Amino acid sequence: GGGHQFTAFVAPAEEAGGLEDLGRRVERPLRLVEREALLELLHESVGGQTFTLGELFREGRRELARRVLEQTLARYRETARGLYQSTRETMAYLHRIDVPLPRVFTALAEAILGEELVRGLERGGLGPLPPELGELVVQARELGVRLDSPDLRRALEAALEEAVAGLEGNPAAAERARQVLDLAEALGVELDLWHSQNLLYRLMRRGGPLPADAAELARRLHLEKQNRPPKNGP
């Protein structure tokens, strides 16, 4: 059906007829959102029992709803991103001359910039962070937008933990961890370092091959001495 209405037709294969060109036949009622015509066509072609969304098991309902929501949000994201890009320079100018920005725009900027930062943090494995993340920070500053959402904080913490966990024999991981900490500082986001502290503490106690700048990373994670475990954990 259209919108949020779902109907499934289920019948044994030998009882369903005329399915070879079903895709072609349903194209017109789908395009014109003719629900009744579509249901009649499916009933004639497939027959069998019909099931609605409410009759699915809970896991099935949630999975189907997640897919529909992702498709809908993807369309809205592109529209929102285009609106943000088309108005960003004007809004940055207004911020420079101390004119309060509309709340609807700051909310849009927070959502777009925050989402782009999260996506960037999830890319690259243990290599350097994408350089465009720095540009996103610059945009946030130009607009006077503060990016400190829970999703972004979790993404920063996860990226830091992943980098620390990959330190043994991997100099690039130490650089990535440093970049994540620099990014968090530039954004003014205070991270929960406890998991990363414990990861690095165990690596240092184990005595494996760590990058030369692991000591500097330990200092930034407040592990100044190799035999000093984190204090703020549970």
Side-chain angles (χ1 to χ4, degrees), residues 148-208:
D148 58 354
S149 70
D151 286 346
L152 178 55
R153 187 178 299 109
R154 284 192 292 267
L156 286 162
E157 291 169 354
L160 179 61
E161 291 166 21
E162 182 183 21
V164 172
L167 277 175
E168 278 190 333
N170 193 338
E175 173 63 13
R176 185 176 178 90
R178 182 190 66 77
Q179 290 180 331
V180 172
L181 289 170
D182 288 346
L183 182 62
E185 290 181 4
L187 291 167
V189 177
E190 185 173 349
L191 302 181
D192 181 352
L193 301 175
W194 188 77
H195 290 291
S196 293
Q197 289 172 330
N198 275 279
L199 285 169
L200 183 54
Y201 175 73
R202 288 197 294 269
L203 289 175
M204 295 173 73
R205 290 297 298 270
R206 196 160 63 197

